[in-house]
Amino acid sequence: MDGPAPGERRAGRGAIAAAVAFVVLGIAFRGALAFPTHKYPADADCLNSGLVALRILHGRPQAFYTPRRLGALECYVHAAAFEVLGVGRPALAVAPFVSGSLALVLWAYLALALLGPVAGPFAVLLLALPPPAYALWTYMPNTYPETMLLCVAILAAAVRLARRPAPDLLGLVLFGLAAGLGFWNSIQTLAATLPALVWLLASRGRELFRARAVGIAAAAFVVGALPWIAWNVLVPFGTFRGNFSVRPAGGAAALAENVRYLAAYSIPELAASLDPEGGPNPPEAYRKAMQPVVLALWGAAALFALVRAAAWARGRISGAHGPPPRDSLLLLSGGAILLFATVSAAGQARGLTVRYVLPLLPTLVAALALLLAAVWRRSRFFAIALAAIVLVFDVGGAFLPGSPARRLWEAKQETDGKLMAFLAGNHVAVVLGDYWAAYPVNFLSKERILAVPFQEGADFYEVEKSLPAAPALCAVVARTRGELERLSRRTSLTGSLTEVGPEFFVLVADSDTEPRTLLARLREAAAEPTAEPAGGAAP
């Protein structure tokens, strides 16, 4: 059989060179998002992963980061980074940066293999500088970087298996291990595993789905998912208790509302978010003007991909034979995550829930890359111009150094330092307050200070059980002075109120107090309706 023509070889080498350059650009972009370190927009959740890592370092193995739902895989990387760099934010930023960078490397392999020498590099570039919502949720230490890494790894391993003339041991092990680790880390990765199995069955079912190959892949899966399996043996099927991600949506009306929400919020937010934090960062005028154009491009790309899929389906119905198109793997994966977001009770959650559909982005990127490749064949200038519109919009919404959002989170990190110095200087033993304000103290103090939230369901690591029975010096924290003043009046708690930094206040009790009793009083007071205006005399 003749090899590739010289022109094809040159195009292939050019595509690889472009993809490598875009990967380097994407790694630099992720480095700029992560460093210099700063407070994260979802800081309490992010620092919880560090808290779990501390417990791992103290000889207490953990299976989950969010109890019963998200695996602690990332936390073991944090623990290793803590051993090398010391406990702190710089070490905490390592795992998501590494995971995001590795995901981009694997995506480059996947894109070139599935999309070809023109669309492939476009796809690498579009994920190297991704939409703002994706960039936000995958640069923080919250397990989503690992979820995306494992989704891409599963698909890449499936492509390796499909491209080999015969099933190879390494490919089977890689596929099974990635799928197992993914299952432990997040059930979301089934949106990659199940479509990959369907695609492999349709592409090379006779060779791959034999007893030996299935046994090897299954054994590797068990190794990867072993923490999940062990925990569910010790606590029989404990991950299914109170876990909305494994419950079905509540009826036809809920399904219809989930579909509406996907179309109205989740997909537009994923593709072209103006402010992924949901309000604190007013977008620049140029980005507001660009958003309709960017959304139109993503919509045209989705329509282009669906038309291509429909054409293939018509050919199959009319009697055409052969394996499915290579890029159908990404279409299947995108369809799986949309199905999950529709039929699962997780799809009924509202708020900043775009993170539940992050695995859809590679499918959208592939669709846009294929559209740009089609335009490229007619006008290279126009294709580059369309890609530039998307990339300018995306980069402009990222929390890069020097941006207003980044400066705000850097200032809030300085407040954290002042807070810890203040608490240590006043010999505070227990901190109470709203989850977002209080719970980070557990990690920031390396668990030397116990911090318990008012919200009972938010004490994920049962810190309350460790509260001392004897009186101790307690402090209450809040992000507004008015909140602390109201709590002080309602509980008759007296003490000194101090502003330790912008939008952060501490009330240190005048004397030692029994923490559990004070916590109960504060919870009752916090639950009372707020009918009084903010302000008033300080206690």
Side-chain angles (χ1 to χ4, degrees):
M1 181 181 294
D2 295 333
E8 292 177 343
R9 287 197 295 269
R10 284 194 298 272
R13 288 195 295 268
I16 292 172
V20 169
F22 296 152
V23 166
V24 172
L25 174 64
I27 292 174
F29 176 78
R30 283 155 178 77
L33 287 175
F35 304 100
T37 57
H38 49 281
K39 193 161 183 171
Y40 294 107
D43 204 56
D45 287 348
C46 294
L47 296 190
N48 283 347
S49 64
L51 184 60
V52 174
L54 285 178
R55 297 185 174 194
I56 292 169
L57 284 179
H58 295 156
R60 299 157 61 187
Q62 305 287 308
F64 293 99
Y65 153 60
T66 297
R68 300 186 301 277
R69 191 162 65 86
L70 297 174
L73 175 62
E74 178 186 86
C75 303
Y76 285 87
V77 182
H78 293 329
F82 290 165
E83 289 279 24
V84 176
L85 301 176
V87 177
R89 289 187 185 273
L92 203 63
V94 169
F97 169 70
V98 170
S99 294
S101 300
L102 289 176
L104 186 59
V105 171
L106 291 176
W107 172 248
Y109 165 79
L110 193 61
L112 291 176
L114 296 182
L115 305 178
V118 179
F122 271 124
V124 179
L125 177 60
L126 290 168
L127 201 64
L129 304 175
Y134 183 91
L136 176 73
W137 288 104
T138 58
Y139 98 97
M140 295 188 288
N142 55 13
T143 78
Y144 288 103
E146 287 67 37
T147 294
M148 290 309 306
L149 168 60
L150 291 165
C151 281
V152 176
I154 291 164
L155 299 177
V159 169
R160 174 191 166 94
L161 285 173
R163 296 179 76 183
R164 296 282 170 142
D168 65 309
L169 177 63
L170 180 59
L172 292 168
V173 170
L174 290 175
F175 180 80
L177 187 61
L181 287 170
F183 187 75
W184 169 33
N185 190 73
S186 172
I187 196 173
Q188 276 185 309
T189 58
L190 289 179
T193 302
L194 297 180
L197 290 172
V198 171
W199 185 75
L200 287 172
L201 181 61
S203 303
R204 299 192 56 199
R206 290 183 180 179
E207 298 94 339
L208 291 173
F209 287 81
R210 294 179 176 177
R212 178 179 178 274
V214 170
I216 292 170
F221 176 91
V222 169
V223 171
L226 194 58
W228 187 97
I229 295 169
W231 197 89
N232 279 272
V233 169
L234 294 173
V235 184
F237 298 102
T239 55
F240 296 98
R241 301 176 192 171
N243 186 347
F244 63 72
S245 63
V246 296
R247 293 199 313 269
L255 291 174
E257 176 59 22
N258 286 351
V259 171
R260 186 205 66 79
Y261 188 69
L262 276 169
Y265 165 76
S266 299
I267 297 175
E269 178 71 8
L270 177 63
S273 174
L274 285 175
D275 176 15
E277 274 195 271
N281 307 294
E284 296 87 345
Y286 81 90
R287 294 190 71 248
K288 291 179 70 174
M290 291 178 70
Q291 188 192 40
V293 178
V294 174
L295 284 173
L297 284 172
W298 285 109
L303 182 61
F304 181 74
L306 291 174
V307 168
R308 292 176 76 252
W312 176 81
R314 283 197 303 271
R316 294 287 291 184
I317 293 172
S318 63
H321 299 287
R326 292 177 299 173
D327 53 41
S328 62
L329 174 59
L330 295 170
L331 191 63
L332 286 171
S333 178
I337 196 65
L338 290 176
L339 180 64
F340 173 80
T342 300
V343 304
S344 167
Q348 294 177 255
R350 298 296 179 257
L352 300 180
T353 55
V354 69
R355 60 193 187 277
Y356 296 159
V357 295
L358 289 179
L360 176 63
L361 187 66
T363 300
L364 294 178
V365 163
L368 182 53
L370 288 168
L371 177 62
L372 292 173
V375 175
W376 174 273
R377 295 182 184 99
R378 292 161 177 80
S379 170
R380 295 188 175 188
F381 173 81
F382 195 40
I384 293 172
L386 292 178
I389 290 172
V390 175
L391 295 173
V392 168
F393 178 88
D394 291 347
V395 174
F399 291 177
L400 292 170
S403 65
R406 182 65 166 263
R407 289 198 297 268
L408 173 64
W409 291 113
E410 289 169 351
K412 290 189 174 184
Q413 177 175 282
E414 293 179 6
T415 297
D416 278 350
K418 295 175 182 177
L419 170 66
M420 299 314 300
F422 178 84
L423 294 175
N426 285 274
H427 308 291
V428 172
V430 175
V431 167
L432 308 172
D434 174 79
Y435 166 77
W436 294 102
Y439 219 58
V441 171
N442 288 302
F443 173 75
L444 294 172
S445 70
K446 302 180 179 63
E447 296 191 283
R448 288 190 288 266
I449 299 174
L450 302 178
V452 181
F454 293 156
Q455 304 94 322
E456 295 184 61
D459 185 13
F460 300 119
Y461 308 105
E462 300 181 329
V463 179
E464 184 177 350
K465 292 183 178 179
S466 301
L467 289 177
L473 187 59
C474 300
V476 186
V477 296
R479 287 178 288 187
T480 67
R481 177 183 292 273
E483 182 181 353
L484 279 184
E485 291 171 344
R486 285 191 294 271
L487 291 172
S488 174
R489 285 192 291 271
R490 291 174 179 178
T491 60
S492 300
L493 176 67
T494 59
S496 58
L497 194 157
T498 304
E499 181 178 5
V500 297
E503 299 182 6
F504 207 94
F505 299 83
V506 183
L507 172 62
V508 179
D510 277 338
S511 59
D512 289 2
T513 308
E514 201 282 307
R516 296 176 192 273
T517 302
L518 178 59
L519 178 60
R521 287 162 50 200
L522 287 165
R523 279 177 172 164
E524 183 178 355
E528 293 177 12
T530 301
E532 55 187 292

